Amino acid sequence: MNKVLMTALTALLASSALAADPAFPKAPSGKVTLEVWSWVPGLDKTVQAFEKAYPNIDVKVTNLGGGPQTYTKLLTTLKAGTGAPDVAQIEYGFLPAFVDTGGLTDLSTLGANNYRKYFVPWTWGQVSPDGKAVFAIPQDTGPFAMVYRDDLLKKYGVQVPRTWAEYEKAAATVHAKSGGKVKMGNFYATFAPWFMALAWADGAQFFKRDGDRWVQTLNNPTAKKVLNYWYGMIKKGHVGTLNAFTSDYWNAAGAGQVVSNMEAAWGPGGYAGSLKNKSAGQWRAANLPQWTAGSTVRSGNWGGSSNVVTAQSKNKEAAMLFSLWLNLSQSAITNNWTNGGLFPASDAGLDLAVLKDKTKNPSKFFGGQDISSVYARASRGVNVNFQWAPWFPYANDNFNKQMDLMLKGRLTPDQALDAWQRETLAEAKKQGYDVR
């Protein structure tokens, strides 16, 4: 090989390594112990590589299980001014509620914005809505794509839908040819972020901060378009409303009673783990159907989380170093994917070989398809400007109430969204927010 070519290849490999592993901040001198609250499976093993790279920093991981109990304990410690960890995991949708406590460190003061370029753009928007202050480091994501049964589409003579119009037509065909026994899809009526991700993909905005004020539009035109679209198929019996993550849903999916669904990047792992051998090898992933044919792939996001550094931490520099390493180093991203199915927020992480391993789940369950490339494309097509509000926990719960009334025929889709907007707005004002 000639010397010029060798030099070029060496430079290329070096730049690739830098893209995945940037130069992290210098570790503080002296012995440091970090307390980390996280629900990521196997994180205690992942941190061993960090401690090897930074022998003066010990990391103690506490897994509180995630969900309400974790958030309640964290909020309590932040408000009390004592007892909080150095680093904590918080989902994007719930981050603003913690920011408003004043208990989180603005990481921009520690140079966090220097690492913005290493993350998929929309993820940085989740932790830095104004583009200046940075309240967390993005960890994992849930960009939306469509999963489907390849064998069933072929059985019913249906092509993979590329648009929502094609999807609706396919739903009618499947219903007719199966005698109503098979649903084209499923509407998750008890997960507001699932619905919001569908609207997010078409540019919907539900919350927006305007200085010290907020604007809430849960009943925005795009949300109404999306909900009416799905409700129309529900009324015709073309899609179902089985609750997510239940045995009813998994049994239907495994038995060929559900042809497709819209799932986040972490969803395929659930299919592989829950269905096991039932329908193994028959599933595939494709781009989320688009509203406009031939358009650039646009997507929304469901789930994902970030790592915050609390204001109580006495080791903020080390805490931010750990948070950056955890979400930008190849070692950590690989372990987080392998042990916990975390789809990376790092742009370079989206292209890591471990995500494309067709011999292991979830790709193996999906017929050996490189599904990570589908989800990487989705992640890069997520709208950057989407925001959440501090009172989202209430909005999240109230959504279930309105969807239940809609499915019982007591509210139209428009009325359900109007009620969601009205009742959530009242609660936000009750909590003291200046919102309209």
Side-chain angles (χ1 to χ4, degrees):
M1 184 178 291
N2 84 31
K3 188 174 180 180
V4 174
L5 180 57
M6 178 65 79
T7 302
L9 284 174
T10 301
L12 177 62
L13 290 172
S15 66
S16 296
L18 287 173
D21 291 291
F24 294 113
K26 184 178 179 181
S29 59
K31 194 68 175 176
V32 171
T33 298
L34 295 177
E35 184 176 359
V36 177
W37 289 2
S38 172
W39 58 84
V40 175
L43 185 59
D44 55 333
K45 296 181 178 63
T46 301
V47 300
Q48 291 175 9
F50 176 80
E51 291 174 332
K52 185 176 181 179
Y54 302 95
N56 65 314
I57 304 177
D58 291 331
V59 180
K60 177 185 175 183
V61 178
T62 300
N63 189 334
L64 298 177
Q69 62 182 16
T70 297
Y71 290 155
T72 297
K73 184 170 183 178
L74 183 58
L75 277 171
T76 299
T77 61
L78 292 180
K79 291 178 179 178
T82 184
D86 297 282
V87 177
Q89 181 180 0
I90 299 177
E91 294 165 277
Y92 299 123
F94 295 89
L95 183 59
F98 288 90
V99 172
D100 269 24
T101 67
L104 304 184
T105 300
D106 175 3
L107 299 177
S108 69
T109 62
L110 302 177
N113 275 313
N114 294 330
Y115 295 86
R116 174 177 185 166
K117 61 186 176 183
Y118 296 108
F119 291 91
V120 180
W122 73 266
T123 66
W124 200 259
Q126 295 291 286
V127 301
S128 180
D130 68 357
K132 298 176 182 177
V134 181
F135 293 105
I137 301 299
Q139 180 165 52
D140 64 305
T141 64
F144 251 23
M146 180 178 70
V147 299
Y148 66 93
R149 285 280 295 268
D150 185 57
D151 58 329
L152 295 180
L153 286 188
K154 290 176 179 175
K155 177 180 178 179
Y156 297 116
V158 174
Q159 297 293 316
V160 178
R162 293 166 298 177
T163 66
W164 288 115
E166 290 178 359
Y167 188 87
E168 187 174 20
K169 184 177 179 180
T173 299
V174 169
H175 183 268
K177 290 187 175 182
S178 70
K181 295 179 181 179
V182 179
K183 309 291 186 184
M184 180 62 184
N186 195 74
F187 182 85
Y188 288 158
T190 58
F191 284 89
W194 182 87
F195 165 73
M196 295 170 78
L198 290 172
W200 184 348
D202 195 41
Q205 297 283 341
F206 293 86
F207 307 102
K208 185 176 181 180
R209 191 157 206 160
D210 183 15
D212 293 329
R213 303 188 68 192
W214 285 88
V215 178
Q216 174 185 282
T217 51
L218 300 181
N219 57 347
N220 62 77
T222 300
K224 288 188 173 181
K225 177 179 73 173
V226 171
L227 188 57
N228 276 283
Y229 170 85
W230 282 89
Y231 186 69
M233 291 190 291
I234 292 170
K235 290 290 287 183
K236 294 175 183 176
H238 295 179
V239 300
T241 56
L242 296 172
N243 287 336
F245 316 123
T246 62
S247 58
D248 286 343
Y249 178 76
W250 294 127
N251 288 337
Q257 296 167 3
V258 178
V259 177
S260 69
N261 213 343
M262 310 306 143
E263 297 287 2
W266 43 264
Y271 280 69
S274 299
L275 296 179
K276 302 186 185 304
N277 292 327
K278 293 181 179 178
S279 66
Q282 302 293 350
W283 290 88
R284 301 289 186 274
N287 296 334
L288 190 73
Q290 304 294 297
W291 288 102
T292 303
S295 61
T296 301
V297 174
R298 301 172 67 185
S299 187
N301 182 79
W302 177 24
S305 56
S306 62
N307 297 118
V308 303
V309 174
T310 68
Q312 293 177 34
S313 174
K314 296 180 180 179
N315 301 292
K316 293 181 176 62
E317 291 83 1
M320 188 179 81
L321 167 62
F322 172 74
S323 298
L324 288 168
W325 177 90
L326 183 62
N327 301 303
L328 288 177
S329 72
Q330 289 191 42
S331 171
I333 293 172
T334 296
N335 287 336
N336 287 340
W337 169 256
T338 303
N339 297 328
L342 273 65
F343 198 70
S346 154
D347 191 66
L350 294 178
D351 297 319
L352 286 182
V354 67
L355 273 68
K356 304 174 185 297
D357 189 342
K358 301 176 183 180
T359 66
K360 296 180 180 179
N361 285 331
S363 285
K364 182 180 178 181
F365 183 84
F366 277 68
Q369 180 189 5
D370 175 15
I371 62 173
S372 71
S373 291
V374 176
Y375 279 103
R377 185 162 53 248
S379 185
R380 289 167 174 144
V382 173
N383 177 16
V384 175
N385 300 316
F386 192 90
Q387 295 183 31
W388 302 92
W391 60 91
F392 174 69
Y394 177 88
N396 186 53
D397 293 339
N398 188 266
F399 175 84
N400 297 355
K401 170 187 173 182
Q402 310 307 338
M403 292 302 101
D404 181 59
L405 292 173
M406 181 189 75
L407 293 178
K408 288 177 178 176
R410 294 169 58 182
L411 294 176
T412 66
D414 284 3
Q415 289 171 338
L417 290 177
D418 288 343
W420 189 31
Q421 165 73 5
R422 182 175 60 254
E423 294 178 19
T424 302
L425 187 65
E427 175 62 23
K429 291 180 177 179
K430 181 180 177 182
Q431 291 183 20
Y433 292 100
D434 185 357
V435 55
R436 58 182 174 85

